Amino acid sequence: MFELLGITPQGLVAQLLVGLINGSFYAMLSLGLAIIFGLLNIINFSHGAQYMLGAFAAWIGATQLGAWIGNPEFSIGYWPALVLSPLLIGASGIVIERTMLRRLYHLDPLYGLLLTFGLALVIEGMFRHWYGISGENYEVPESLTGAFRLEGIGLALPKYRLWVVAASLAVCFASWVFIERTKLGAYLRAGTENPALLQAFGVNVPLLITAAYGYGVALAAFAGVLAAPIFQVSPLMGSNLIIVVFAVVVIGGMGSIMGSIVTGIGLGLIEGLTKVFYAQASDVVVFVIMAIVLLLRPAGLFGRET
Amino acid sequence: MKKKLVSAMIMAAFAAGAFEAAAQSGKISDDVVRIGVLTDLSSIYSDLSGPGSVLAGKMALEDFAKDAKVLGKKVEILSADTQNKPDIAANRAREWYDKDHVDAIADLPATNVALAVMEVAEQKNRITLVSTAASLPITNAKCTATNVHWMYDTHALSVGTAKAVVKSGKKNWFFITADYAFGHALERDASAVVTENGGTVVGSVRHPFPGSDFSSFLLKAQASKADVIALSNAGNDTINSVKQAAEFGIMGSKQTIVPLLMFISDIHSMGLKTAQGMLLTEGFYWNQNERSRAWSQRFFLRHKKMPTMVQAGVYSAVLNYLKAIKAAGTDEPGAVMKQLKSMTIDDAVIQKGKIREDGRLVHDMLLLEVKKPQDSKSPWDYYNIKAVIPGDQAFQPLSKSTCKLVKK
């Protein structure tokens, strides 16, 4: 049967592994979007730009910062960047929430979408102006270079890609546990349902919302640092990805944490399979699925009808 | 008798004056020569053309005449963004030609943009000087009488790289192709060269444009066991393909990655460590000779980057367009085209170039090899010149042309 399809079983397994890697990126990005939408009711269109900022922060730390502070020897390696970049970009997200998004909560969600979309254009425009469109090269960290040879399926699986899958699944799982199984997570969920009532119980809801936006943005930046060694670090790297991630969120159900993780990985796999059998359709397949899901289950696979 | 002589002299003076006036008005239309650099200022081709192309156009004018004048009339360089959209580019071209007295449009990145603007120019009898767009049809099936294709095309790229690689004994080819007009044209031209030289094409895959993750296509290419994985794409797609090929251990394996179109700006942004050893074809390299070095250093001082071949192409195109106006004594498009096609193109960028009747500028192309990091002596020292491909071998011969201007 496999011969009929023009691929060996080994080849198929290899392709599925690659699909899983892309899926874990989708999962992590859509998770951040889902958290932000669930709590703030904001469709965060600057998510792609914040993912790009994460990658650029890592690259700047590694190659530019030393010269800026007059000490060319100084550079921030991959591992510190994996922590520092999300913290920095998350903090910038908090500033955006406090100074801009906050003013829009009483308005239609469309205003938030427009604001964040505008922000994304400005941020991407600035980086395009400073660094050009072709982007910059970020090296794979020394300890993760090379590949595991999987003789059975004839594939050299880069160690770095395995690390990406492991790291993003761990972060997704930890976020899910935090939101669904801890007390603070319960506050977050309650804040989504009825912020006024929660505030009446003495919980600082505005602070909760700020923290949630900061966390969502930090997730995007974390994904950006993970992506930096794989993709060219370029100003438009996020805008290429963000549309697919939005489709993932819609398919999973707006605001559903579990939905975004499962759909992200699932769609990565489906996209991977499409690349094997009819590559030309691989950028459309996600949207075809989105259309079907919206027709059959308008609230998404994991969403609740309201 | 005396009276007759006087009246004859007066008449002659009038006639001469009238002639003079007639000649004046025929010289330069609207008393100004405007050249529009229509390029990609914001999107995927803005590093390889974009602001660098605009600068190249301005430098050409400065080098042509210090007072920025031709035949005593002012010359101006305008610029605008195509946003990579043919409709926007065509509208801008129409506005420039109709309202702003633009005489020629230069650069034109992306095939579909170039073809759209060429059509407008043909209708309005104005000139286009294509430099960045690469597809063969620009001077073949879709050629126009008022166009010159300056630097390179998909045929020349294929002849340069594909022929050299097949001749080196790597005969089985697999294509990773960007799924749009340019990618298809490049794959078609390269496949023809491969089979003509005794190689075979064992498979191909078409990826959506633009892409970011190419690992799936690379794995397919790897599984095909082809000797050569040819990248029939451009810009960031090529950079990411090469980068990920290195990651999956294909670079440095028995399989060879061959980028069919790559610019020095791409090499610069991916770094020599990743790019080393690859073969590619270009029409210009800043370090190719004394004149190119001198010009490129001046360009570098102002742009902070060395020129790509297409930016250099804009320089040469604008410079020679102005030279042609001067030689023809007018900016009338028919006369200028005739002059361009009769003169030899010789400047810091192009040496001994000739423009054929189909609008193809024929000149020597370079087969280049990317240097190893340890062999690169200075910034932007990226290539070894492996071979010079004579123009008459690099470009499609007129005997195979389907251009309507070629008389057979």
Side-chain angles (χ1 to χ4, degrees):
Chain A
M1 181 192 106
F2 285 103
E3 282 67 30
L4 271 181
L5 296 170
I7 186 167
T8 58
Q10 291 87 345
L12 193 64
V13 173
Q15 294 287 0
L16 284 175
L17 271 172
V18 170
L20 182 67
I21 297 163
N22 283 336
S24 55
F25 270 112
Y26 292 158
M28 209 168 9
L29 284 169
S30 57
L31 174 66
L33 274 180
I35 291 174
I36 293 171
F37 182 79
L39 274 149
L40 286 77
N41 230 3
I42 292 265
I43 302 167
N44 186 31
F45 242 92
S46 50
H47 215 67
Q50 281 149 342
Y51 158 83
M52 178 273 286
L53 282 178
F56 257 104
W59 174 78
I60 287 172
T63 59
Q64 308 290 300
L65 194 60
W68 291 357
I69 58 171
N71 179 6
E73 296 302 307
F74 181 79
S75 96
I76 296 173
Y78 175 81
W79 300 106
L82 209 50
V83 180
L84 291 176
S85 165
L87 281 179
L88 181 73
I89 308 302
S92 77
I94 286 175
V95 172
I96 290 171
E97 198 275 339
R98 283 267 151 163
T99 54
M100 294 180 233
L101 285 176
R102 175 145 296 190
R103 299 164 198 278
L104 304 177
Y105 291 148
H106 61 286
L107 297 171
D108 191 272
L110 205 57
Y111 288 87
L113 184 152
L114 284 175
L115 176 72
T116 49
F117 184 54
L119 277 175
L121 291 181
V122 171
I123 296 170
E124 284 172 358
M126 287 196 305
F127 275 77
R128 195 173 54 210
H129 179 71
W130 289 330
Y131 297 108
I133 202 86
S134 330
E136 308 291 344
N137 189 35
Y138 190 87
E139 296 288 331
V140 174
E142 205 60 47
S143 49
L144 290 173
T145 48
F148 291 114
R149 285 222 65 91
L150 306 178
E151 293 303 338
I153 56 173
L155 171 70
L157 191 63
K159 286 178 191 165
Y160 187 77
R161 297 241 175 184
L162 277 180
W163 152 248
V164 168
V165 177
S168 48
L169 288 184
V171 166
C172 286
F173 183 70
S175 306
W176 179 79
V177 168
F178 173 72
I179 292 168
E180 300 289 335
R181 295 282 180 271
T182 65
K183 191 164 181 198
L184 198 58
Y187 284 159
L188 275 174
R189 281 178 289 134
T192 327
E193 291 289 324
N194 193 335
L197 191 63
L198 187 66
Q199 194 137 23
F201 282 122
V203 177
N204 188 344
V205 174
L207 184 68
L208 213 58
I209 288 179
T210 307
Y213 188 76
Y215 184 68
V217 172
L219 274 181
F222 184 75
V225 183
L226 282 181
I230 300 183
F231 307 122
Q232 189 78 352
V233 178
S234 78
L236 297 186
M237 65 189 289
S239 62
N240 295 341
L241 201 61
I242 196 68
I243 306 295
V244 177
V245 174
F246 268 105
V248 170
V249 176
V250 171
I251 296 168
M254 296 292 286
S256 162
I257 306 293
M258 200 46 162
S260 62
I261 299 175
V262 174
T263 332
I265 293 170
L267 284 177
L269 291 175
I270 291 174
E271 199 187 60
L273 282 179
T274 321
K275 281 180 180 167
V276 177
F277 297 117
Y278 190 68
Q280 287 92 321
S282 58
D283 60 341
V284 194
V285 64
V286 172
F287 301 99
V288 173
I289 295 173
M290 182 178 87
I292 296 171
V293 167
L294 282 179
L295 281 174
L296 300 178
R297 280 184 66 97
L301 293 176
F302 293 80
R304 279 166 301 166
E305 307 270 356
T306 48
Chain B
M1 183 67 201
K2 206 176 169 190
K3 228 179 185 177
K4 259 191 177 167
L5 199 67
V6 170
S7 59
M9 275 174 74
I10 292 170
M11 271 172 74
F14 264 112
F19 265 113
E20 184 69 32
Q24 280 288 356
S25 69
K27 260 183 178 174
I28 298 291
S29 58
D30 317 304
D31 285 339
V32 63
V33 173
R34 289 210 174 100
I35 303 165
V37 180
L38 191 51
T39 185
D40 178 355
L41 292 173
S42 57
S43 178
I44 46 173
Y45 304 120
S46 56
D47 270 1
L48 60 95
S49 56
S53 290
V54 180
L55 173 64
K58 287 182 176 154
M59 285 178 68
L61 173 57
E62 291 161 14
D63 291 356
F64 174 75
K66 288 243 155 14
D67 59 354
K69 281 186 176 170
V70 62
L71 301 177
K73 302 291 177 195
K74 224 174 143 202
V75 185
E76 288 172 5
I77 306 284
L78 313 180
S79 64
D81 188 6
T82 63
Q83 298 175 33
N84 247 336
K85 295 188 177 83
D87 49 333
I88 289 182
N91 278 337
R92 167 58 69 183
R94 236 172 249 127
E95 220 177 291
W96 266 357
Y97 287 143
D98 287 346
K99 269 176 56 194
D100 300 327
H101 310 306
V102 167
D103 300 283
I105 293 182
D107 201 11
L108 299 170
T111 300
N112 44 4
V113 165
L115 290 175
V117 173
M118 281 164 62
E119 201 184 311
V120 174
E122 192 182 30
Q123 285 164 10
K124 303 196 179 292
N125 189 29
R126 297 289 171 91
I127 288 175
T128 45
L129 306 162
V130 174
S131 179
T132 301
S135 298
L136 179 61
I138 291 170
T139 53
N140 206 33
K142 304 257 167 93
C143 72
T144 64
T146 51
N147 177 55
V148 184
H149 196 184
W150 216 266
M151 188 40 86
Y152 71 128
D153 62 24
T154 47
H155 187 275
L157 293 172
S158 310
V159 169
T161 319
K163 199 170 170 184
V165 175
V166 176
K167 292 271 180 217
S168 76
K170 296 184 180 288
K171 297 210 181 284
N172 293 320
W173 285 57
F174 188 98
F175 284 90
I176 295 181
T177 302
D179 196 12
Y180 71 112
F182 154 76
H184 296 185
L186 190 51
E187 183 188 333
R188 194 169 52 235
D189 292 346
S191 298
V193 172
V194 169
T195 42
E196 268 167 31
N197 288 283
T200 39
V201 177
V202 297
S204 77
V205 59
R206 293 191 165 166
H207 70 76
F209 165 79
S212 55
D213 185 50
F214 295 87
S215 45
S216 175
F217 312 119
L218 289 164
L219 288 181
K220 237 177 160 176
Q222 196 177 29
S224 76
K225 304 265 191 298
D227 303 324
V228 176
I229 300 171
L231 304 175
S232 180
N233 49 19
N236 277 14
D237 284 354
T238 310
I239 297 177
N240 272 323
S241 306
V242 172
K243 211 172 143 138
Q244 289 163 19
E247 199 194 344
F248 277 85
I250 299 176
M251 298 286 276
S253 74
K254 270 187 227 150
Q255 288 179 307
T256 309
I257 298 278
V258 172
L260 291 171
L261 173 55
M262 208 149 61
F263 296 93
I264 198 164
S265 53
D266 298 332
I267 307 284
H268 183 70
S269 66
M270 79 172 81
L272 288 184
K273 195 176 155 206
T274 309
Q276 58 181 307
M278 285 196 295
L279 286 179
L280 68 151
T281 303
E282 294 218 51
F284 168 85
Y285 173 39
W286 68 270
N287 206 2
Q288 72 189 71
N289 59 41
E290 207 45 60
R291 287 169 85 188
S292 65
R293 258 192 301 279
W295 176 75
S296 302
Q297 297 291 2
R298 284 197 289 132
F299 182 92
F300 182 83
L301 283 178
R302 291 166 71 171
H303 192 57
K304 308 287 171 250
K305 292 171 191 165
M306 280 297 175
T308 62
M309 65 164 151
V310 291
Q311 290 164 343
V314 172
Y315 171 82
S316 174
V318 172
L319 184 65
N320 285 284
Y321 172 68
L322 291 170
K323 281 183 187 169
I325 292 179
K326 195 176 174 188
T330 171
D331 68 348
E332 194 278 313
V336 175
M337 286 303 291
K338 205 172 153 203
Q339 176 63 37
L340 273 171
K341 287 179 182 177
S342 67
M343 62 198 239
T344 300
I345 307 297
D346 192 77
D347 53 46
V349 174
I350 305 277
Q351 279 89 43
K352 286 181 280 173
K354 275 285 184 192
I355 299 169
R356 295 192 311 209
E357 60 224 75
D358 58 353
R360 173 74 257 159
L361 167 63
V362 175
H363 67 108
D364 295 352
M365 299 287 289
L366 303 169
L367 179 67
L368 304 160
E369 183 188 46
V370 181
K371 283 190 172 176
K372 294 193 176 74
Q374 63 269 26
D375 297 340
S376 173
K377 299 281 179 278
S378 58
W380 294 88
D381 175 22
Y382 289 160
Y383 297 145
N384 290 316
I385 298 177
K386 296 274 282 186
V388 176
I389 307 150
D392 53 350
Q393 291 174 29
F395 294 96
Q396 177 180 270
L398 282 178
S399 57
K400 285 190 183 168
S401 174
T402 57
C403 170
K404 60 187 185 240
L405 303 166
V406 176
K407 292 183 194 75
K408 290 192 182 169

